[in-house]
Coordinates of all heavy atoms in Angstrom, one line a residue:
M1 N -4.2 -22.1 3.0 CA -3.6 -21.0 2.3 C -4.7 -19.9 2.1 O -5.9 -20.2 1.7 CB -3.0 -21.4 0.9 CG -2.6 -20.1 0.2 SD -2.0 -20.6 -1.5 CE -0.4 -20.7 -1.3
A2 N -4.5 -18.6 2.6 CA -5.4 -17.5 2.4 C -5.7 -17.2 0.9 O -4.7 -17.2 0.1 CB -4.9 -16.2 3.1
T3 N -6.9 -16.9 0.7 CA -7.2 -16.3 -0.7 C -7.5 -14.9 -0.6 O -8.6 -14.5 0.0 CB -8.4 -17.1 -1.3 OG1 -8.0 -18.5 -1.2 CG2 -8.7 -16.6 -2.6
Y4 N -6.7 -14.1 -1.2 CA -6.9 -12.6 -1.1 C -7.5 -12.1 -2.4 O -7.4 -12.7 -3.5 CB -5.6 -11.8 -1.0 CG -4.9 -12.2 0.4 CD1 -3.8 -13.0 0.3 CD2 -5.3 -11.6 1.5 CE1 -3.2 -13.4 1.5 CE2 -4.8 -11.9 2.8 CZ -3.6 -12.8 2.7 OH -3.0 -13.2 3.9
R5 N -8.5 -11.0 -2.3 CA -9.1 -10.6 -3.4 C -8.2 -9.6 -4.1 O -8.2 -9.6 -5.4 CB -10.4 -9.8 -2.9 CG -11.3 -9.4 -4.0 CD -12.6 -9.0 -3.4 NE -12.4 -7.9 -2.5 CZ -13.0 -6.8 -2.4 NH1 -14.1 -6.6 -3.1 NH2 -12.8 -5.9 -1.5
K6 N -7.4 -8.8 -3.5 CA -6.6 -7.8 -4.0 C -5.2 -7.7 -3.4 O -5.1 -8.1 -2.2 CB -7.3 -6.5 -4.0 CG -8.5 -6.3 -4.9 CD -9.0 -4.9 -5.1 CE -10.1 -4.9 -6.0 NZ -10.5 -3.5 -6.3
F7 N -4.4 -7.2 -4.1 CA -3.0 -7.1 -3.6 C -2.6 -5.5 -3.7 O -2.9 -4.9 -4.5 CB -1.9 -7.9 -4.4 CG -2.0 -9.3 -4.2 CD1 -2.9 -10.0 -4.9 CD2 -1.3 -10.0 -3.2 CE1 -3.1 -11.3 -4.7 CE2 -1.4 -11.4 -3.0 CZ -2.3 -12.1 -3.8
I8 N -1.8 -5.1 -2.7 CA -1.4 -3.7 -2.6 C 0.2 -3.9 -2.6 O 0.7 -4.5 -1.6 CB -1.8 -2.9 -1.4 CG1 -3.3 -3.0 -1.4 CG2 -1.2 -1.5 -1.4 CD1 -3.9 -2.4 -0.2
F9 N 1.0 -3.3 -3.5 CA 2.3 -3.4 -3.5 C 2.9 -1.9 -3.0 O 2.6 -1.0 -3.6 CB 2.9 -3.7 -4.9 CG 2.4 -5.0 -5.4 CD1 1.3 -5.1 -6.2 CD2 3.2 -6.1 -5.0 CE1 0.9 -6.3 -6.6 CE2 2.7 -7.4 -5.6 CZ 1.5 -7.5 -6.3
V10 N 3.7 -2.1 -2.0 CA 4.2 -0.8 -1.4 C 5.8 -0.7 -1.4 O 6.4 -1.7 -0.9 CB 3.7 -0.6 0.1 CG1 4.2 0.7 0.7 CG2 2.1 -0.7 0.1
C11 N 6.2 0.3 -2.0 CA 7.8 0.4 -2.1 C 8.2 0.6 -0.7 O 7.8 1.5 0.1 CB 8.0 1.5 -2.9 SG 10.0 1.8 -3.0
T12 N 9.4 -0.1 -0.2 CA 10.0 0.1 1.1 C 11.4 0.5 0.7 O 12.3 0.2 1.7 CB 9.8 -1.1 2.0 OG1 10.4 -2.3 1.3 CG2 8.4 -1.4 2.4
G13 N 11.7 1.0 -0.4 CA 13.2 1.5 -0.6 C 13.4 2.6 0.2 O 12.6 3.3 1.0
S14 N 14.7 3.1 0.2 CA 15.3 4.0 1.1 C 14.6 5.4 1.0 O 14.3 6.0 2.0 CB 16.7 4.2 1.0 OG 17.1 4.5 -0.3
D15 N 14.3 6.0 -0.2 CA 13.6 7.1 -0.3 C 12.1 7.1 0.1 O 11.7 8.0 0.7 CB 13.7 7.6 -1.7 CG 15.1 8.2 -2.1 OD1 15.9 8.5 -1.3 OD2 15.3 8.3 -3.3
C16 N 11.5 6.0 -0.1 CA 10.2 5.9 0.3 C 10.2 5.8 1.8 O 9.1 6.2 2.5 CB 9.4 4.7 -0.4 SG 9.0 5.1 -2.1
K17 N 11.1 5.1 2.4 CA 11.2 5.1 3.9 C 11.4 6.5 4.4 O 10.6 6.9 5.4 CB 12.4 4.4 4.3 CG 12.0 2.8 4.4 CD 13.2 2.1 5.0 CE 12.9 0.5 4.9 NZ 14.1 -0.3 5.0
K18 N 12.2 7.4 3.8 CA 12.2 8.7 4.2 C 11.0 9.6 4.1 O 10.7 10.5 4.8 CB 13.4 9.5 3.4 CG 14.8 9.0 3.7 CD 15.7 9.9 2.8 CE 17.0 9.0 2.5 NZ 17.9 9.6 1.5
N19 N 10.2 9.1 3.1 CA 8.9 9.8 2.8 C 7.8 9.2 3.6 O 6.6 9.5 3.2 CB 8.7 9.9 1.4 CG 9.7 10.9 0.7 OD1 9.9 12.0 1.3 ND2 10.1 10.5 -0.6
G20 N 8.0 8.2 4.5 CA 6.9 7.9 5.2 C 6.2 6.5 4.9 O 5.1 6.3 5.5
C21 N 6.8 5.7 4.3 CA 6.1 4.4 4.0 C 5.9 3.6 5.2 O 4.8 2.8 5.1 CB 7.0 3.6 2.9 SG 8.4 2.8 3.5
K22 N 6.7 3.7 6.2 CA 6.5 2.7 7.4 C 5.2 3.3 8.0 O 4.4 2.4 8.5 CB 7.6 2.9 8.4 CG 8.8 2.1 8.0 CD 9.9 2.1 9.0 CE 11.0 1.2 8.7 NZ 12.1 1.2 9.8
T23 N 4.9 4.5 8.2 CA 3.7 5.0 8.7 C 2.5 4.6 7.8 O 1.5 4.2 8.3 CB 3.7 6.5 9.0 OG1 4.8 6.9 9.7 CG2 2.4 7.2 9.5
L24 N 2.7 4.8 6.5 CA 1.6 4.3 5.7 C 1.3 2.8 5.8 O 0.1 2.4 5.8 CB 2.1 4.6 4.2 CG 1.1 4.3 3.1 CD1 -0.2 5.0 3.2 CD2 1.8 4.5 1.7
L25 N 2.3 2.1 5.9 CA 2.2 0.6 6.0 C 1.4 0.3 7.2 O 0.4 -0.6 7.3 CB 3.4 -0.1 6.0 CG 4.1 -0.4 4.6 CD1 5.5 -0.8 4.7 CD2 3.4 -1.4 3.8
K26 N 1.7 0.9 8.3 CA 1.0 0.8 9.6 C -0.6 1.2 9.6 O -1.3 0.4 9.9 CB 1.7 1.6 10.7 CG 1.3 1.3 12.1 CD 2.1 2.1 13.1 CE 1.5 2.0 14.5 NZ 2.3 2.8 15.4
E27 N -0.7 2.3 9.0 CA -2.0 2.7 8.8 C -3.0 1.9 7.8 O -4.1 1.5 8.2 CB -2.2 4.2 8.1 CG -1.6 5.3 9.1 CD -1.4 6.6 8.4 OE1 -1.4 6.8 7.2 OE2 -1.3 7.6 9.2
M28 N -2.3 1.4 6.8 CA -2.9 0.4 5.9 C -3.2 -0.9 6.6 O -4.3 -1.4 6.5 CB -2.0 0.1 4.7 CG -1.8 1.3 3.7 SD -0.4 0.9 2.6 CE -1.4 0.4 1.2
G29 N -2.3 -1.4 7.4 CA -2.6 -2.6 8.1 C -3.7 -2.5 8.9 O -4.6 -3.3 9.1
Q30 N -3.8 -1.4 9.7 CA -4.9 -1.1 10.6 C -6.3 -1.0 9.9 O -7.3 -1.7 10.4 CB -4.7 0.1 11.5 CG -3.5 0.0 12.4 CD -3.1 1.4 13.1 OE1 -3.5 2.4 12.6 NE2 -2.5 1.1 14.2
L31 N -6.3 -0.4 8.8 CA -7.4 -0.1 8.1 C -7.9 -1.4 7.5 O -9.2 -1.8 7.5 CB -7.3 0.9 6.9 CG -8.5 1.1 6.0 CD1 -9.7 1.6 6.7 CD2 -8.1 2.1 4.9
L32 N -7.1 -2.4 7.0 CA -7.4 -3.6 6.3 C -7.8 -4.6 7.2 O -8.2 -5.8 7.0 CB -6.3 -4.0 5.3 CG -6.1 -3.0 4.2 CD1 -5.0 -3.4 3.3 CD2 -7.5 -2.8 3.4
K33 N -7.5 -4.5 8.6 CA -7.9 -5.4 9.6 C -9.3 -5.4 10.1 O -9.9 -6.3 10.7 CB -7.1 -5.2 10.9 CG -5.7 -5.8 10.8 CD -5.0 -5.6 12.3 CE -3.5 -5.9 12.1 NZ -2.9 -5.3 13.3
T34 N -9.9 -4.3 9.6 CA -11.4 -4.0 10.0 C -12.3 -4.6 9.0 O -12.0 -4.8 7.7 CB -11.7 -2.5 10.1 OG1 -11.4 -1.9 8.9 CG2 -10.7 -1.9 11.2
D35 N -13.5 -4.9 9.4 CA -14.4 -5.4 8.5 C -14.9 -4.2 7.7 O -15.0 -3.1 8.1 CB -15.7 -6.0 9.4 CG -15.4 -7.3 9.9 OD1 -14.6 -8.1 9.2 OD2 -15.8 -7.6 11.0
P36 N -15.3 -4.5 6.5 CA -15.5 -5.7 5.7 C -14.2 -6.0 4.9 O -14.3 -7.0 4.1 CB -16.7 -5.4 4.6 CG -16.4 -4.0 4.3 CD -15.9 -3.3 5.7
H37 N -13.0 -5.4 5.2 CA -11.9 -5.7 4.4 C -11.0 -6.8 4.9 O -10.0 -7.2 4.2 CB -11.1 -4.3 4.5 CG -11.9 -3.2 4.2 ND1 -12.6 -2.9 3.0 CD2 -12.2 -2.0 5.0 CE1 -13.3 -1.8 3.2 NE2 -13.0 -1.2 4.3
K38 N -11.3 -7.3 6.1 CA -10.4 -8.1 6.8 C -10.2 -9.5 5.9 O -11.2 -10.1 5.4 CB -11.0 -8.5 8.1 CG -10.1 -9.4 9.0 CD -10.8 -9.6 10.4 CE -9.9 -10.3 11.4 NZ -10.5 -10.5 12.6
G39 N -9.0 -9.9 5.7 CA -8.7 -11.1 5.0 C -8.8 -10.9 3.5 O -8.7 -12.0 2.7
K40 N -9.1 -9.9 2.9 CA -9.5 -9.7 1.5 C -8.2 -9.0 0.7 O -8.2 -9.1 -0.5 CB -10.7 -8.9 1.3 CG -12.0 -9.6 1.7 CD -13.2 -8.8 1.5 CE -14.4 -9.5 2.0 NZ -15.7 -8.6 1.9
W41 N -7.5 -8.3 1.5 CA -6.3 -7.5 0.8 C -5.0 -8.0 1.4 O -4.9 -8.4 2.6 CB -6.4 -6.1 1.3 CG -7.6 -5.4 0.6 CD1 -8.9 -5.5 1.0 CD2 -7.5 -4.6 -0.5 NE1 -9.6 -4.7 0.2 CE2 -8.9 -4.1 -0.8 CE3 -6.6 -4.1 -1.5 CZ2 -9.1 -3.4 -1.8 CZ3 -6.9 -3.2 -2.5 CH2 -8.1 -2.8 -2.5
K42 N -4.0 -8.2 0.6 CA -2.7 -8.5 1.0 C -1.7 -7.4 0.6 O -1.7 -6.9 -0.5 CB -2.2 -9.9 0.2 CG -0.8 -10.2 0.4 CD -0.5 -10.8 1.8 CE 0.8 -11.4 1.9 NZ 1.1 -11.7 3.3
I43 N -1.0 -6.9 1.6 CA 0.0 -5.9 1.4 C 1.3 -6.6 1.1 O 1.8 -7.4 1.9 CB 0.1 -4.9 2.6 CG1 -1.2 -4.3 2.9 CG2 1.3 -4.0 2.5 CD1 -1.2 -3.6 4.3
V44 N 2.0 -6.2 0.1 CA 3.3 -6.8 -0.3 C 4.3 -5.7 -0.4 O 4.1 -4.7 -1.0 CB 3.2 -7.5 -1.7 CG1 4.6 -8.0 -2.1 CG2 2.1 -8.5 -1.8
K45 N 5.3 -5.9 0.4 CA 6.4 -4.8 0.4 C 7.4 -5.0 -0.7 O 7.8 -6.3 -1.0 CB 7.3 -4.9 1.8 CG 6.4 -4.5 3.1 CD 7.1 -4.8 4.2 CE 6.3 -4.6 5.4 NZ 7.1 -4.9 6.7
T46 N 7.7 -4.1 -1.3 CA 8.6 -4.3 -2.6 C 9.9 -3.4 -2.4 O 9.9 -2.6 -1.6 CB 7.9 -3.8 -3.9 OG1 7.9 -2.4 -3.9 CG2 6.5 -4.3 -4.0
K47 N 10.9 -3.7 -3.4 CA 12.0 -2.9 -3.3 C 11.7 -1.6 -4.2 O 10.6 -1.5 -4.6 CB 13.2 -3.7 -4.0 CG 13.6 -4.8 -3.1 CD 14.8 -5.6 -3.6 CE 15.1 -6.7 -2.6 NZ 16.3 -7.4 -3.1
C48 N 12.6 -0.8 -4.5 CA 12.5 0.5 -5.2 C 11.8 0.3 -6.6 O 12.0 -0.7 -7.3 CB 13.8 1.1 -5.5 SG 13.8 2.6 -6.4
M49 N 10.7 1.1 -6.9 CA 10.0 1.0 -8.2 C 10.5 2.1 -9.1 O 9.8 2.4 -10.1 CB 8.5 1.2 -7.9 CG 7.9 0.1 -7.0 SD 6.2 0.3 -6.9 CE 5.7 -0.8 -5.6
D50 N 11.5 2.8 -8.8 CA 12.2 3.9 -9.6 C 11.3 5.1 -9.7 O 11.2 5.8 -10.8 CB 12.4 3.3 -10.9 CG 13.6 2.4 -10.9 OD1 14.5 2.6 -10.0 OD2 13.9 1.6 -11.9
F51 N 10.5 5.4 -8.6 CA 9.7 6.8 -8.6 C 10.2 7.4 -7.3 O 9.2 7.9 -6.7 CB 8.3 6.5 -8.8 CG 7.8 5.9 -10.1 CD1 7.6 4.6 -10.2 CD2 7.7 6.8 -11.2 CE1 7.3 4.1 -11.6 CE2 7.2 6.4 -12.4 CZ 7.0 5.0 -12.6
C52 N 11.5 7.3 -7.0 CA 11.8 7.8 -5.7 C 11.5 9.1 -5.2 O 11.3 9.3 -4.0 CB 13.4 7.5 -5.6 SG 13.9 5.9 -6.2
K53 N 11.5 10.1 -6.2 CA 11.2 11.5 -5.7 C 9.7 11.5 -5.4 O 9.2 12.7 -4.9 CB 11.6 12.4 -6.9 CG 13.1 12.4 -7.3 CD 13.9 12.8 -6.2 CE 15.3 12.7 -6.5 NZ 16.3 12.4 -5.4
S54 N 8.8 10.6 -5.7 CA 7.4 10.7 -5.5 C 6.9 9.8 -4.5 O 5.7 9.4 -4.4 CB 6.7 10.4 -6.9 OG 7.2 11.2 -7.9
G55 N 7.7 9.3 -3.6 CA 7.3 8.4 -2.5 C 6.6 9.0 -1.4 O 6.6 10.3 -1.2
P56 N 5.9 8.3 -0.6 CA 5.8 6.7 -0.8 C 5.0 6.4 -2.1 O 4.0 7.1 -2.4 CB 5.1 6.2 0.5 CG 4.4 7.5 1.1 CD 5.1 8.7 0.6
V57 N 5.4 5.2 -2.6 CA 4.8 4.8 -3.8 C 4.1 3.5 -3.6 O 4.7 2.6 -3.0 CB 5.9 4.7 -5.1 CG1 5.3 4.1 -6.2 CG2 6.5 6.0 -5.4
A58 N 3.0 3.2 -4.3 CA 2.3 1.9 -4.2 C 1.6 1.5 -5.5 O 1.3 2.5 -6.3 CB 1.2 2.0 -3.0
V59 N 1.2 0.4 -5.7 CA 0.5 0.0 -6.8 C -0.7 -0.8 -6.4 O -0.7 -1.8 -5.5 CB 1.3 -1.0 -7.7 CG1 0.4 -1.4 -8.9 CG2 2.5 -0.2 -8.4
I60 N -1.9 -0.4 -6.7 CA -3.2 -0.9 -6.3 C -3.9 -1.2 -7.6 O -4.3 -0.2 -8.3 CB -4.0 -0.1 -5.3 CG1 -3.1 0.2 -4.2 CG2 -5.3 -0.8 -5.1 CD1 -3.9 1.1 -3.1
S61 N -4.3 -2.5 -7.9 CA -5.0 -2.8 -9.1 C -4.4 -2.2 -10.4 O -5.1 -1.5 -11.2 CB -6.5 -2.2 -9.0 OG -7.1 -2.8 -8.0
N62 N -3.2 -2.5 -10.4 CA -2.3 -2.1 -11.6 C -2.3 -0.5 -11.8 O -1.8 -0.1 -12.8 CB -2.8 -2.6 -12.9 CG -2.7 -4.1 -12.9 OD1 -1.7 -4.7 -12.5 ND2 -3.7 -4.7 -13.6
E63 N -2.6 0.1 -10.7 CA -2.5 1.7 -10.8 C -1.3 2.1 -10.0 O -1.4 1.8 -8.7 CB -3.8 2.4 -10.4 CG -3.7 3.9 -10.4 CD -5.0 4.4 -9.9 OE1 -6.1 3.9 -9.6 OE2 -5.0 5.7 -9.6
L64 N -0.4 2.9 -10.5 CA 0.7 3.4 -9.7 C 0.2 4.7 -8.9 O -0.4 5.7 -9.5 CB 1.8 3.8 -10.6 CG 3.0 4.4 -9.9 CD1 3.8 3.4 -9.0 CD2 3.9 5.1 -10.9
I65 N 0.4 4.7 -7.6 CA 0.1 5.9 -6.8 C 1.3 6.5 -6.2 O 2.0 5.8 -5.5 CB -0.9 5.4 -5.7 CG1 -2.3 4.8 -6.4 CG2 -1.5 6.7 -4.9 CD1 -3.1 4.1 -5.4
K66 N 1.5 7.8 -6.5 CA 2.6 8.5 -6.1 C 2.2 9.3 -4.9 O 1.0 9.7 -4.8 CB 3.2 9.4 -7.1 CG 3.8 8.6 -8.3 CD 4.2 9.6 -9.5 CE 4.6 8.8 -10.7 NZ 4.9 9.7 -11.7
K67 N 3.2 9.5 -3.9 CA 2.9 10.3 -2.8 C 1.6 9.7 -2.0 O 0.7 10.6 -1.7 CB 2.8 11.9 -3.1 CG 4.0 12.4 -3.6 CD 4.0 13.9 -3.7 CE 5.3 14.5 -4.4 NZ 6.5 14.5 -3.6
M68 N 1.6 8.4 -1.9 CA 0.3 7.9 -1.4 C 0.1 8.3 0.0 O 1.1 8.3 0.9 CB 0.5 6.4 -1.5 CG -0.8 5.7 -1.1 SD -0.9 4.0 -1.6 CE -2.4 3.5 -0.7
E69 N -1.1 8.5 0.3 CA -1.6 8.7 1.6 C -2.7 7.7 2.0 O -3.3 7.0 1.0 CB -2.2 10.2 1.8 CG -1.0 11.1 1.6 CD -1.6 12.6 1.7 OE1 -2.9 12.8 1.6 OE2 -0.7 13.4 1.6
I70 N -3.1 7.5 3.3 CA -4.1 6.5 3.6 C -5.4 6.8 2.9 O -6.1 5.8 2.6 CB -4.2 6.3 5.0 CG1 -5.0 5.1 5.4 CG2 -4.7 7.6 5.7 CD1 -4.4 3.8 5.0
G71 N -5.7 8.0 2.6 CA -7.0 8.4 2.1 C -7.1 7.9 0.6 O -8.2 7.6 0.1
D72 N -6.0 7.7 0.0 CA -6.0 7.1 -1.4 C -6.3 5.7 -1.3 O -7.1 5.2 -2.3 CB -4.5 7.1 -2.0 CG -3.9 8.6 -2.2 OD1 -4.8 9.5 -2.6 OD2 -2.8 8.9 -1.9
L73 N -6.1 5.0 -0.4 CA -6.4 3.6 -0.3 C -8.0 3.6 0.1 O -8.7 2.7 -0.5 CB -5.7 2.9 0.9 CG -6.2 1.4 1.2 CD1 -6.1 0.6 0.0 CD2 -5.4 0.9 2.2
R74 N -8.4 4.4 1.0 CA -9.9 4.3 1.4 C -10.6 4.6 0.1 O -11.8 4.0 0.0 CB -10.2 5.6 2.3 CG -9.7 5.3 3.7 CD -10.3 6.2 4.7 NE -9.7 5.9 6.1 CZ -8.8 6.6 6.6 NH1 -8.2 7.7 6.0 NH2 -8.3 6.2 7.8
G75 N -10.1 5.4 -0.9 CA -10.9 5.6 -2.1 C -11.0 4.4 -3.1 O -11.8 4.3 -4.0
K76 N -10.1 3.4 -2.8 CA -10.0 2.2 -3.5 C -10.9 1.0 -3.1 O -11.0 -0.1 -3.6 CB -8.6 1.8 -3.8 CG -7.7 2.9 -4.2 CD -7.7 2.8 -5.8 CE -6.8 3.9 -6.3 NZ -7.4 4.6 -7.5
L77 N -11.3 1.1 -1.7 CA -12.0 0.0 -1.1 C -13.3 -0.2 -1.5 O -13.9 0.7 -1.9 CB -11.7 0.2 0.4 CG -10.3 0.1 1.1 CD1 -10.4 0.5 2.6 CD2 -9.6 -1.1 0.8
Ligands
FES101 S1 12.6 4.1 -3.0 FE1 10.6 3.9 -3.5 S2 10.4 4.2 -5.5 FE2 12.4 4.3 -5.1

């Protein structure tokens, strides 16, 4: 079983899909495959988090991030 250091929860509800969560997930996956992040982070897709107008929405280290972009993740690594 893999042991991850941190989890990222990304909403994949319908409004977040309209606001680009699929592209965000793809970019996050690519970034987290590279060293030194490889195997340390787990991306978890979630249902709606009730911040639909502010999507894509994610939670990293208990912090809710609205209108998330890949640069927001880079700042957390
Ligand atoms: S659809 Fe993402 S917060 Fe509602």
Side-chain angles (χ1 to χ4, degrees):
M1 175 186 264
T3 304
Y4 297 103
R5 191 172 54 140
K6 292 192 175 184
F7 289 84
I8 303 168
F9 299 91
V10 180
C11 174
T12 56
S14 58
D15 282 345
C16 285
K17 276 185 185 158
K18 285 182 208 161
N19 288 320
C21 77
K22 283 188 174 181
T23 300
L24 177 64
L25 283 164
K26 188 175 174 183
E27 292 172 342
M28 292 169 98
Q30 289 171 343
L31 177 61
L32 297 175
K33 279 185 195 168
T34 60
D35 286 328
H37 316 299
K38 191 174 181 179
K40 295 180 180 173
W41 292 77
K42 174 74 174 169
I43 297 171
V44 181
K45 297 175 186 174
T46 74
K47 294 183 178 180
C48 179
M49 296 186 196
D50 286 336
F51 293 95
C52 307
K53 302 294 181 216
S54 303
V57 174
V59 175
I60 304 174
S61 300
N62 293 326
E63 180 184 351
L64 177 72
I65 302 170
K66 299 175 182 174
K67 298 188 184 293
M68 182 165 174
E69 297 176 351
I70 193 66
D72 297 318
L73 177 59
R74 286 193 183 103
K76 306 271 181 216
L77 296 176

